Amino acid sequence: MNIRNGRISDVDELTAIEAECFPAAEAAERKSFEDRLKHYADHFWILEDDNGKIISFVNGMVTDEEHLTDKMYENASMHNENGAWQMIFGVNTLPKYRKNGYAEAVLRNVISDAKEQSRKGLVLTCKEKLIHFYGKLGFVDEGVSDSEHGGVVWHEMRLTF
Ligand SMILES: CC(C)(COP(=O)(O)OP(=O)(O)OC[C@H]1O[C@@H](n2cnc3c(N)ncnc32)[C@H](O)[C@@H]1OP(=O)(O)O)[C@@H](O)C(=O)NCCC(=O)NCCS
């Protein structure tokens, strides 16, 4: 297993994994991933097996905005490489590889890179059932976010260095 950053050639594999992990209303589409990879491939963290198959990945832009808003998902040009906050848009592990600690390993890598890059911290939104999972990594629940992404309720969580 190896964790690396993204490249444009990952676009089809990432789109397929996202479609397997999220309902259609929440899943990012190929065009979004293409734009994100063009603007911030280094803010994709991809765990692959020894054959180069992608098992788990995390992605998100960097911004000075303190809150994660829906417009960020589809507007990759909002990425600011020198921004204060590392946003996390998606955490995905292929279903048959879950509960092996892969998402946690990728997230720990994201946290350590964000720290090295002198960010203020990281921000994500998640469904209520995952608050405990991110809590174990140091994220603090700030309550229900304004997000209407996919028509469900999202909690905003923040890890501040
Ligand atoms: C959420 C998601 C990314 C987790 O991926 P994962 O690789 O299974 O995550 P981990 O293995 O690090 O942790 C998941 C659970 O397995 C447990 N686990 C880790 N290693 C384990 C092992 N060897 N044996 C048993 N359980 C284990 C973890 O403690 C964690 O338990 P918890 O849910 O009680 O906190 C994955 O389920 C997914 O892709 N879901 C669909 C998309 C989604 O909802 N993403 C999050 C958006 S906010």
Side-chain angles (χ1 to χ4, degrees):
M1 295 288 178
N2 170 48
I3 298 176
R4 61 166 175 84
N5 292 126
R7 37 188 185 241
I8 195 73
S9 56
D10 293 321
V11 66
D12 289 326
E13 201 173 353
L14 297 181
T15 306
I17 295 171
E18 177 96 354
E20 222 176 312
C21 291
F22 285 97
E26 296 168 29
E29 293 180 352
R30 188 182 192 284
K31 173 87 177 70
S32 298
F33 279 125
E34 197 176 5
D35 285 348
R36 294 180 194 178
L37 286 163
K38 278 184 189 154
H39 284 87
Y40 49 87
D42 284 348
H43 297 271
F44 279 71
W45 288 264
I46 292 176
L47 183 142
E48 58 186 9
D49 70 10
D50 295 343
N51 299 314
K53 177 186 168 65
I54 300 175
I55 306 296
S56 182
F57 74 97
V58 171
N59 73 101
M61 69 172 53
V62 179
T63 170
D64 276 336
E65 291 192 26
E66 277 193 27
H67 297 284
L68 198 167
T69 56
D70 289 349
K71 63 180 192 286
M72 294 175 182
Y73 292 119
E74 302 303 333
N75 193 351
S77 63
M78 289 174 73
H79 170 68
N80 169 7
E81 186 57 41
N82 299 315
W85 298 99
Q86 173 68 57
M87 300 287 151
I88 295 180
F89 293 163
V91 183
N92 298 249
T93 299
L94 279 173
K96 75 171 183 178
Y97 294 91
R98 289 180 188 164
K99 297 203 179 286
N100 283 296
Y102 292 141
E104 180 172 337
V106 178
L107 284 163
R108 289 201 185 279
N109 218 276
V110 180
I111 293 166
S112 127
D113 281 358
K115 197 167 200 173
E116 222 167 76
Q117 292 160 5
S118 304
R119 311 291 179 203
K120 284 187 181 165
L122 300 93
V123 182
L124 58 79
T125 57
C126 71
K127 293 176 189 159
E128 187 156 9
K129 64 179 183 190
L130 282 172
I131 290 175
H132 75 284
F133 173 69
Y134 296 112
K136 290 191 296 190
L137 289 159
F139 285 84
V140 176
D141 181 18
E142 296 189 336
V144 173
S145 118
D146 289 339
S147 174
E148 293 172 349
H149 186 61
V152 296
V153 174
W154 298 92
H155 281 250
E156 189 169 51
M157 296 189 75
R158 184 181 309 272
L159 188 165
T160 308
F161 293 131

